[in-house]
Amino acid sequence: MVEEEIDDVDRAILYALQEDARNMSSGDITERTDTSDSTVRKRIQRLESDGVIKGYSANVDYQKSGYPLQMLLYCTASIVERGDLIPDILEIDGVVSVQELVTGEQNLLVTAVGESDSDITPVAQALLDMGLTVADEVLVRTHETTPFGKFDSETHTEDDS
């Protein structure tokens, strides 16, 4: 639960960090938000402690790093257990993400990467061994992300709400 309401300054900070957290200094963000450096640093600390910013990570191109297969595995777990299973699923070698889905029969989306089918097959087997049903498998060609536009103060104002 967020302690304080997310305002335009927070949104601008989130947008900037989503653009390039590694190279975005608090000074760069200060210029965008027209606030002080200490305000930006305090806001970032609050957003981290409130769990709004969950961490910082590299956006890896698995294909270029030698793992050309990226597979989405749509699974079904008991509604009661699905959330509790996520940490165990993330421990499976080759799994890079898990999403809990709240509508439909397929309620977990597992993303796995590997060099070949022989890397992905054990992931599916481990999911089955956990009692999950693997309902569908989808091979992904590319996956791109972008910062959430409503955090960008340049394109979103309170009047847009």
Side-chain angles (χ1 to χ4, degrees):
M1 176 102 181
V2 177
E3 299 287 324
E4 293 182 38
E5 188 75 24
I6 301 293
D7 64 13
D8 286 341
V9 172
D10 293 331
R11 283 190 278 278
I13 290 169
L14 293 169
Y15 190 83
L17 293 174
Q18 284 182 310
E19 279 184 314
D20 188 3
R22 182 173 188 211
N23 296 307
M24 189 69 60
S25 71
S26 59
D28 295 332
I29 298 171
T30 294
E31 290 178 25
R32 289 181 178 209
T33 60
D34 198 29
T35 59
S36 71
D37 192 57
S38 65
T39 296
V40 168
R41 283 187 271 114
K42 286 177 185 174
R43 293 286 189 108
I44 290 172
Q45 287 174 343
R46 180 180 52 78
L47 291 166
E48 289 171 345
S49 67
D50 286 353
V52 175
I53 297 174
K54 294 170 62 172
Y56 302 89
S57 61
N59 184 4
V60 176
D61 184 323
Y62 293 108
Q63 188 166 14
K64 288 182 180 177
S65 65
Y67 299 94
L69 291 184
Q70 184 172 353
M71 183 74 67
L72 303 179
L73 299 115
Y74 289 88
C75 303
T76 303
S78 99
I79 292 171
V80 176
E81 319 182 281
R82 70 180 173 204
D84 295 335
L85 291 170
I86 292 173
D88 294 331
I89 295 169
L90 288 169
E91 292 294 319
I92 299 170
D93 191 34
V95 171
V96 294
S97 76
V98 180
Q99 296 175 57
E100 184 177 1
L101 310 174
V102 294
T103 59
E105 185 179 328
Q106 298 156 9
N107 53 22
L108 290 172
L109 174 56
V110 178
T111 304
V113 298
E115 289 182 82
S116 66
D117 285 344
S118 62
D119 293 329
I120 302 296
T121 302
V123 172
Q125 186 59 55
L127 294 169
L128 293 170
D129 292 346
M130 293 175 73
L132 298 169
T133 301
V134 178
D136 199 7
E137 299 175 7
V138 177
L139 187 60
V140 176
R141 170 174 258 162
T142 62
H143 174 97
E144 301 296 329
T145 63
T146 189
F148 183 51
K150 292 195 179 191
F151 289 158
D152 185 7
S153 61
E154 303 282 318
T155 60
H156 178 74
T157 63
E158 289 301 313
D159 295 338
D160 292 341
S161 300

